[in-house]
Amino acid sequence: MTRSSRPQQSGRRLEDRIAWAVRNADGVVAIGLALAVGLLDLLDDDLDNNIVSGATLLVLAALVYGSLTERRRRLADIRHATEGTGRAIEDLSMVRSLSGPEIALAHEKARRDTSRWVFKGGTGTYLRAVTLPECVREAQRQRRSLSMKIDIVNPADDRVCEAYARFRRTFGYRNETDPFTEWTTERTRKEAYATVVAAAWHRQRLDTLEIDVHLSSVAPTLRFDLSDTCLIITQDDPRRVSLYVERGRPLYDYYVTELHQSREQAVKLDLREATPLGDEPTVDEVRRLLDRLGLPVPASFTDRDVGDIIDRALHAEDPYRR
């Protein structure tokens, strides 16, 4: 140890002792008074009993004050611990479960007054049937802008279409009211194409609609719908429990970032390059549109297949309506 470091350590020890005395001032005062009275009583036989009694009361008062101070400290610690527990409980309850009719009601509430919608899922059947037209209708009614970002499987990727179809056949919900009950690679491809056509069609009819379509090469198992107010996580089977996260919760912000990163790794279509579509698009119009977007339909697709895509795009029915 150097000579120069010794004074520094001595200074730190003195500061620590002063700080300890300040934190325990009540005890220091009580001990000081007790020692003073004890010494006076020992050294001076003529010490007035009133003085001794008064000093004793002062010592007792100091001890009582110290006890009350300690109690306040403990109460503050208890409050702090309680607040921490409350925050932990609140974090645990940041996710609310939805089932049955609650799911549709949550989507309806989420669509109300939102200026943003982010979707990530398989082919976007419910998005085409309900979410997209309802959000557009509400934006038109309120004369405001609407931003939509859609992330679905890439219909040009045979591997991901087959993987998604296999997943839906294995774990999916079979809706007997849906005329297209069997999930195949071809159906997956048509559903995804239909979402692209629907996005382009709605964009051409609402100038304030900013809509992006991203095509992923990863087959998802969950669907994410994010609005200005909440995040709803669902599965393809409406009988299963869905999850609801309010905006302002950490999980909502986490998924905003997660969904953004997913889109960054997908292929983005430039809908500004889309060719015009009529109110009831023709097969030729849709073929030109998809060619222009760099997403031509397979050579094996007949005009009837393209007509099927058009019907799915603009006349889709809610797959979960009972």
Side-chain angles (χ1 to χ4, degrees):
M1 182 183 298
T2 62
R3 293 182 179 179
S4 60
S5 63
R6 290 175 183 171
Q8 294 177 355
Q9 290 186 350
S10 299
R12 281 198 295 271
R13 285 197 294 268
L14 179 60
E15 290 176 359
D16 292 341
R17 289 169 182 169
I18 293 173
W20 178 88
V22 171
R23 287 196 303 271
N24 300 275
D26 48 357
V28 172
V29 170
I31 293 172
L33 288 173
L35 289 175
V37 172
L39 289 173
L40 288 173
D41 193 24
L42 290 173
L43 297 176
D44 190 353
D45 294 335
D46 297 330
L47 189 65
D48 192 340
N49 288 333
N50 290 332
I51 296 176
V52 176
S53 299
T56 302
L57 290 175
L58 287 175
V59 173
L60 291 174
L63 292 174
V64 170
Y65 173 77
S67 176
L68 293 175
T69 302
E70 181 64 22
R71 181 178 297 178
R72 285 197 299 272
R73 288 173 183 164
R74 290 178 181 176
L75 288 174
D77 291 340
I78 291 173
R79 279 196 300 271
H80 181 72
T82 303
E83 290 172 358
T85 303
R87 284 193 296 270
I89 294 174
E90 185 179 354
D91 289 341
L92 289 174
S93 63
M94 73 169 65
V95 178
R96 181 160 59 90
S97 62
L98 302 173
S99 60
E102 293 178 326
I103 301 173
L105 291 174
H107 275 89
E108 181 181 349
K109 182 180 178 182
R111 291 192 298 267
R112 196 179 305 149
D113 299 327
T114 190
S115 61
R116 170 179 63 162
W117 197 278
V118 178
F119 172 82
K120 176 177 172 57
T123 59
T125 306
Y126 182 83
L127 177 83
R128 292 192 314 273
V130 181
T131 304
L132 180 54
E134 289 294 332
C135 284
V136 168
R137 198 156 25 242
E138 192 64 23
Q140 289 174 326
R141 187 182 68 82
Q142 298 188 27
R143 297 187 178 184
R144 58 169 169 75
S145 61
L146 174 65
S147 172
M148 299 195 74
K149 298 186 183 300
I150 301 170
D151 188 347
I152 58 173
V153 297
N154 189 342
D157 188 330
D158 290 340
R159 183 186 60 82
V160 71
C161 289
E162 170 56 30
Y164 185 73
R166 186 169 58 251
F167 168 75
R168 291 297 299 268
R169 288 196 302 269
T170 305
F171 300 104
Y173 167 65
R174 188 178 180 86
N175 189 346
E176 298 301 334
T177 64
D178 184 356
F180 309 102
T181 55
E182 184 65 29
W183 276 91
T184 63
T185 302
E186 180 177 308
R187 177 186 175 182
T188 300
R189 185 177 288 118
K190 286 182 177 180
E191 297 280 4
Y193 275 124
T195 297
V196 174
V197 173
W201 189 88
H202 282 286
R203 184 181 184 276
Q204 292 176 9
R205 279 152 183 80
L206 180 62
D207 291 338
T208 58
L209 173 61
E210 177 187 340
I211 186 167
D212 295 324
V213 178
H214 301 257
L215 306 177
S216 174
S217 294
V218 178
T221 60
L222 298 172
R223 285 196 301 263
F224 302 87
D225 287 277
L226 185 142
S227 73
D228 284 338
T229 58
C230 67
L231 165 69
I232 304 173
I233 304 174
T234 57
Q235 301 184 57
D236 55 88
D237 188 346
R239 297 169 300 182
R240 289 185 170 273
V241 172
S242 299
L243 303 179
Y244 179 92
V245 183
E246 291 183 357
R247 182 176 183 175
R249 304 294 190 183
L251 195 58
Y252 178 94
D253 297 328
Y254 296 162
Y255 272 107
V256 169
T257 304
E258 176 68 20
L259 295 174
H260 172 78
Q261 286 299 106
S262 176
R263 294 192 302 273
E264 287 294 303
Q265 300 173 56
V267 176
K268 181 181 178 181
L269 297 180
D270 188 356
L271 296 183
R272 294 174 300 179
E273 298 296 323
T275 56
L277 294 172
D279 290 340
E280 290 293 333
T282 65
V283 169
D284 289 338
E285 287 176 343
V286 170
R287 284 187 182 274
R288 283 196 297 269
L289 167 75
L290 296 174
D291 287 343
R292 183 67 177 270
L293 295 176
L295 196 67
V297 296
S300 60
F301 272 34
T302 64
D303 286 353
R304 183 176 180 178
D305 291 321
V306 177
D308 189 14
I309 292 173
I310 296 171
D311 188 57
R312 293 171 187 266
L314 304 181
H315 306 290
E317 294 185 1
D318 182 354
Y320 307 117
R321 186 176 62 186
R322 295 181 178 180

